[in-house]
Amino acid sequence: MKAVRVLEYGGQLVFNEVPTPSIARDEILVKIKNTAVNHLDLVEASGTARQILPIDMPWIPGHEFSGVVERIGSDVTACAPGDDVFGVSEIGGAYADYLAVKPAAIARKPSNLSFEEAASVPVASQTAWQGIFTHGHLEKGQTILIHGGAGAVGAYAVQLASHAGATVIATASSDDEAYLNSIGASRVIDYREAQFEKVLREKVDVVFDLIGGDTQKRSFLVLKEGGHLVATTQPVSQEETARHRVSGAMMRLAPSGDGLGSIARLLEEGTIRPDVATVYALQDAAQAWKDIAGNLSPSGPGAARRRSHGKIVLRVA
Ligand SMILES: NC(=O)c1ccc[n+]([C@@H]2O[C@H](COP(=O)([O-])OP(=O)(O)OC[C@H]3O[C@@H](n4cnc5c(N)ncnc54)[C@H](OP(=O)(O)O)[C@@H]3O)[C@@H](O)[C@H]2O)c1
C-alpha cells in the first residue's frame, strides 16, 4: 500500500510503498478514504515530546480517519465489510491506504457527511466534548469562555456549549466573529485587539483554554470562585488554582467509539457541523504540515493573521 512515513525523529515525510497491515482476530482493516492533520502529528514526529509521546520509527502519522471496512477479524461482530466508518487511532497510522484498528476506535460515519468532512471530526469534536463537559462540568445557564474559539476544537466547543444552554464567549480573530456568532457564540473578543480580562465585565464558570501561555495565566482573573479551567496545550499551575479557589488541569483526549457515536448523532440531526478548510492529496502531506506549523507560532495581541478556521484534510483514496 501507499503511505506517508517519518523515518526518524525530525525527518522529512516520505511517500512510498509499504506492507499492508495484517489484522488480529479482534481487529478491523479499514480502507482509508481521508485523514486529517493535527498539531499532535508534528509534535510526535519532531521527537520534542518523546518522553510522554513515544512512537516507533519508522512511523505513519494520522490519528483520525474516515473510510470503509475492508476486512474484519473472526472475533469482530460490531461491523461488517462495506460499512462506512470514522474513528481515531491513538498510535497513528492513518496517512496510508489501510489501517488496522480495534472496533472500539470507530463509529458509523454520519450519513449526511462526506468522507472528507467525517475525517475532520473525531479528534476535535471529542476533545471539545470532554473538555467542556467531562473536565469543565459545564451546565445549562452557565457561562464559558473559549480561547481559540474559531479553531478546530474551539468551533465544536462553541457549538456543543451553546446547544447545552450555556452562554458562550470566545476569543478569536475579528475575521472569525461572524462565523462564531453563526455557530452559537454570543460574544467574540478579538485577541489581537483586546485583553479579554480587561473587557469582560462578569466572571465566567468555565474557561476552555486551547492557547496556553499568557492567555492561560490571565484566565485566572476571569474565573468565578469554584470555576474550572480546562487546558489542552500545557499543564495548569496548581499554585494559581489554589490561590484563586478554582480547579484546573490539562486534559488529554480519551477517544472512544461510543463517544464518537454520540457525536455522529448530533451531526446527523444538524446540531453541530464540521468545518474543513483545505483538502490536500496524501502525497502533499508535507505542505499540509507547513500550513499547520505556521499556526503553531506564538500569537497574541498584535500578531499577524495566519489562516482562517477549519481543519486540514488529506485525500487518501
Ligand atoms: N490535549 C489534547 O488532548 C488535545 C487534543 C486536541 C488538540 N489539542 C491542542 O489544542 C490546541 C488547539 O487545537 P486546534 O486543533 O483547535 O487548533 P487550530 O485549529 O489551529 O486553532 C487554533 C485557533 O486559535 C486561534 N488563536 C491563535 N492565537 C490565539 C490567541 N492568542 N487567542 C485566541 N485565539 C487564538 C487561531 O486563530 P488565527 O486563525 O487567528 O491564528 C485558531 O483559530 C492545539 O495546541 C492542539 O495541539 C490538545
Side-chain angles (χ1 to χ4, degrees), residues 44-127:
E44 286 175 295
S46 73
T48 51
R50 74 178 83 171
Q51 303 300 337
I52 45 168
L53 297 168
I55 49 173
D56 292 331
M57 292 291 177
W59 179 60
I60 302 176
H63 289 284
E64 58 189 334
F65 58 87
S66 63
V68 180
V69 174
E70 175 85 5
R71 206 161 58 234
I72 59 172
S74 54
D75 291 352
V76 175
T77 54
C79 63
D83 286 352
D84 293 346
V85 297
F86 67 153
V88 175
S89 166
E90 291 195 68
I91 58 169
Y95 287 22
D97 286 330
Y98 293 95
L99 173 69
V101 287
K102 302 269 194 225
I106 61 166
R108 296 287 169 99
K109 179 182 84 66
S111 52
N112 59 333
L113 260 54
S114 67
F115 281 99
E116 283 175 359
E117 289 171 323
S120 75
V121 169
V123 168
S125 63
Q126 291 191 88
T127 304

Side-chain angles (χ1 to χ4, degrees), residues 31-313:
K31 181 162 177 46
I32 304 294
K33 291 265 197 185
N34 291 94
T35 180
V37 181
N38 284 286
H39 299 282
L40 182 63
D41 303 344
L42 283 68
V43 173
E44 286 175 295
S46 73
T48 51
R50 74 178 83 171
Q51 303 300 337
I52 45 168
L53 297 168
I55 49 173
D56 292 331
M57 292 291 177
W59 179 60
I60 302 176
H63 289 284
E64 58 189 334
F65 58 87
S66 63
V68 180
V69 174
E70 175 85 5
R71 206 161 58 234
I72 59 172
S74 54
D75 291 352
V76 175
T77 54
C79 63
D83 286 352
D84 293 346
V85 297
F86 67 153
V88 175
S89 166
E90 291 195 68
I91 58 169
Y95 287 22
D97 286 330
Y98 293 95
L99 173 69
V101 287
K102 302 269 194 225
I106 61 166
R108 296 287 169 99
K109 179 182 84 66
S111 52
N112 59 333
L113 260 54
S114 67
F115 281 99
E116 283 175 359
E117 289 171 323
S120 75
V121 169
V123 168
S125 63
Q126 291 191 88
T127 304
W129 178 285
Q130 292 172 16
I132 65 178
F133 298 126
T134 312
H135 302 281
H137 308 286
L138 183 70
E139 291 174 10
K140 185 176 179 177
Q142 292 189 326
T143 300
I144 183 169
L145 172 63
I146 299 169
H147 292 306
V153 178
Y156 284 107
V158 168
Q159 295 177 82
L160 291 167
S162 164
H163 178 63
T167 299
V168 181
I169 304 167
T171 58
S173 299
S174 57
D175 310 25
D176 290 322
E177 184 170 357
Y179 165 68
L180 282 166
N181 290 150
S182 78
I183 60 171
S186 50
R187 183 167 180 198
V188 177
I189 300 170
D190 183 348
Y191 71 87
R192 291 172 303 163
E193 297 295 332
Q195 301 245 304
F196 61 85
E197 74 278 16
K198 295 201 174 129
V199 299
L200 275 180
R201 281 180 297 278
E202 291 185 3
K203 295 201 168 186
V204 304
D205 301 281
V206 180
V207 173
F208 192 28
D209 170 30
L210 301 162
I211 304 299
D214 188 49
T215 298
Q216 185 178 111
K217 278 192 200 135
R218 292 186 281 122
S219 292
F220 288 104
L221 303 173
V222 302
L223 258 183
K224 283 180 190 166
E225 204 174 302
H228 304 286
L229 195 167
V230 182
T232 62
T233 65
Q234 64 177 68
V236 177
S237 160
Q238 295 307 303
E239 276 174 25
E240 288 298 299
T241 56
R243 200 156 72 84
H244 293 274
R245 296 198 173 92
V246 298
S247 79
M250 178 177 171
M251 66 165 283
R252 185 163 173 192
L253 170 63
S256 89
D258 288 345
L260 195 52
S262 303
I263 300 275
R265 283 188 286 282
L266 292 173
L267 288 157
E268 277 177 336
E269 68 193 32
T271 302
I272 57 173
R273 58 180 202 248
D275 186 16
V276 173
T278 319
V279 181
Y280 286 104
L282 179 62
Q283 56 266 41
D284 297 328
Q287 183 56 49
W289 279 31
K290 275 190 195 147
D291 291 4
I292 289 274
N295 239 33
L296 279 177
S297 314
S299 57
R305 189 78 207 287
R306 287 181 296 279
R307 76 166 168 83
S308 187
H309 50 81
K311 214 80 198 187
I312 299 178
V313 166

